[in-house]
């Protein structure tokens, strides 16, 4: 179990949660919120104070980091 605590959480679906908590178990988010999210004693705690926490950004189509498709060696 993982708990990310103290960071400002950008949920992308609602208001910013200041000094929030995220609880994760088995790669699934169980809870997102403030002090009402209880942190189990067995959780590994990640201190995110002073940081912004947000969902990962997924680029559905990208050419960054692959060999050039149009230009050959000069584009590497």
């Amino acid at each position: 179990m993982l708990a990310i605590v103290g960071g400002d959480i950008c949920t992308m679906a609602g208001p910013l949660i200041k000094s929030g908590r995220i609880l994760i178990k088995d790669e699934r988010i169980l809870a997102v919120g403030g002090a009402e999210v209880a942190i189990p004693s067995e959780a590994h705690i990640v201190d995110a104070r002073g940081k912004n926490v947000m969902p990962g950004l997924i680029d559905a189509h990208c050419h960054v980091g692959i060999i050039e498709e149009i230009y050959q060696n000069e584009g590497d």
Side-chain angles (χ1 to χ4, degrees):
M1 184 166 301
L2 177 69
I4 303 171
V5 300
D8 294 338
I9 302 171
C10 305
T11 66
M12 306 304 176
L16 179 75
I17 301 172
K18 301 288 276 178
S19 298
R21 296 177 176 190
I22 303 173
L23 191 59
I24 303 168
K25 182 178 181 184
D26 298 328
E27 300 180 4
R28 298 207 185 266
I29 297 172
L30 299 179
V32 176
E36 74 278 2
V37 175
I39 306 298
S41 60
E42 71 272 11
H44 173 75
I45 297 175
V46 175
D47 184 0
R49 284 180 291 180
K51 305 217 179 342
N52 293 315
V53 182
M54 64 182 71
L57 302 176
I58 299 171
D59 184 353
H61 180 84
C62 183
H63 291 258
V64 176
I66 61 175
I67 193 164
E68 295 290 343
E69 293 177 344
I70 298 172
Y71 304 106
Q72 299 304 315
N73 295 332
E74 63 273 5
D76 287 345

